[in-house]
Amino acid sequence: MEIRIKRFLLRLIKCSFLATALFNSLLALADDERPIIEPDVVPQKVDEALIDTENFEAGLFVGTINIEDFETSMLYGVRLAYHLSELFFLESNIGFAEGGETSFEKLSGNTRLLSDAEREYRFYNLGFGYNLFPGEAFFKSWFSDKTYAFNSNFYLLAGAGATDFAGDNRFTATFGAGYQVILNDAVTMSLVFREHLYDIDVLGEEKTSINTELSAGLSVFF
């Protein structure tokens, strides 16, 4: 009987030691925040082209403008914008072109409705823009298999200003859309489609002239 009691006490002591060791092991694992299995993954550094904290944007643009009844002409100009937020911005534009000949002038020979000075086309406007679809644009390199991602914006435009053409200064309403790609932290490229509407009576009857602009530009934030 005494031998059985001793064996029981020995077994109880062994169980106590094992329970204490197991409890200490669990406490150590709980204090260790590392995962039990560490994945062999190396983080990749990604450089994303974002607009700097500067709110002003200045640039040049070039393209074409269809001057109604006076042919399509080359257009060039200057753009200045101020970004109110990530979605809204104000912009002003000054553009220059030269009107061509009307169909009447071409058919009549020496008859000219406008002088060379009156054919000079100049507009300036102040507009409001809204970034409708911010996103990303992907371009594949021509020299390798790499693909590059750039932040982009599809935006809407509306504004008003004036057009100097045919010897008069005419109030002009504008509206359109643009697509902008952010090349790096400070430089952007954009494509713009815009309509210019003003009243004109050079051909005798007053009408609303609709002139379509299609241009591309580069801008810098500062």
Side-chain angles (χ1 to χ4, degrees):
M1 184 68 178
E2 184 178 352
I3 295 175
R4 291 180 180 178
I5 294 174
K6 289 181 179 181
R7 289 179 179 176
F8 175 77
L9 291 175
L10 288 174
R11 290 177 181 177
L12 183 62
I13 293 172
K14 288 181 181 181
C15 291
S16 299
F17 277 117
L18 290 175
T20 302
L22 180 60
F23 180 73
N24 291 333
S25 299
L26 292 175
L27 287 178
L29 289 175
D31 293 336
D32 191 355
E33 297 180 353
R34 294 178 301 174
I36 297 177
I37 300 176
E38 296 185 1
D40 187 15
V41 177
V42 179
Q44 298 293 324
K45 183 179 179 181
V46 177
D47 293 326
E48 188 177 11
L50 299 171
I51 295 178
D52 279 347
T53 56
E54 291 82 2
N55 295 322
F56 286 96
E57 181 185 0
L60 305 174
F61 61 87
V62 64
T64 61
I65 184 167
N66 179 22
I67 306 173
E68 187 173 344
D69 297 322
F70 290 89
E71 301 181 331
T72 299
S73 302
M74 180 178 177
L75 171 71
Y76 61 93
V78 179
R79 174 179 182 263
L80 178 65
Y82 177 74
H83 291 262
L84 303 171
S85 67
E86 293 183 357
L87 296 179
F88 301 98
F89 62 90
L90 297 174
E91 71 165 14
S92 60
N93 299 276
I94 300 177
F96 304 89
E98 184 175 351
E101 294 184 336
T102 64
S103 299
F104 173 77
E105 290 174 312
K106 292 179 180 179
L107 295 174
S108 62
N110 295 327
T111 303
R112 292 177 61 83
L113 298 176
L114 301 176
S115 65
D116 291 340
E118 290 175 332
R119 293 181 193 276
E120 294 181 0
Y121 185 100
R122 180 175 68 250
F123 69 80
Y124 39 93
N125 55 54
L126 178 65
F128 179 81
Y130 175 68
N131 292 323
L132 184 62
F133 297 124
E136 286 186 325
F138 298 89
F139 298 93
K140 186 175 179 58
S141 173
W142 290 354
F143 308 102
S144 66
D145 294 332
K146 292 184 178 179
T147 300
Y148 299 92
F150 299 93
N151 285 341
S152 63
N153 289 308
F154 177 80
Y155 55 90
L156 301 178
L157 295 167
T163 300
D164 288 331
F165 181 62
D168 200 359
N169 183 277
R170 309 171 190 280
F171 172 80
T172 305
T174 63
F175 67 90
Y179 183 72
Q180 181 186 59
V181 177
I182 303 170
L183 301 178
N184 57 36
D185 289 348
V187 180
T188 68
M189 179 180 68
S190 60
L191 296 174
V192 173
F193 166 82
R194 189 185 345 246
E195 298 284 11
H196 302 250
L197 290 78
Y198 57 80
D199 293 333
I200 188 171
D201 58 358
V202 172
L203 300 182
E205 183 180 356
E206 186 175 76
K207 67 174 185 178
T208 298
S209 178
I210 303 175
N211 303 334
T212 302
E213 169 195 347
L214 182 62
S215 61
L218 285 176
S219 299
V220 177
F221 282 88
F222 64 95

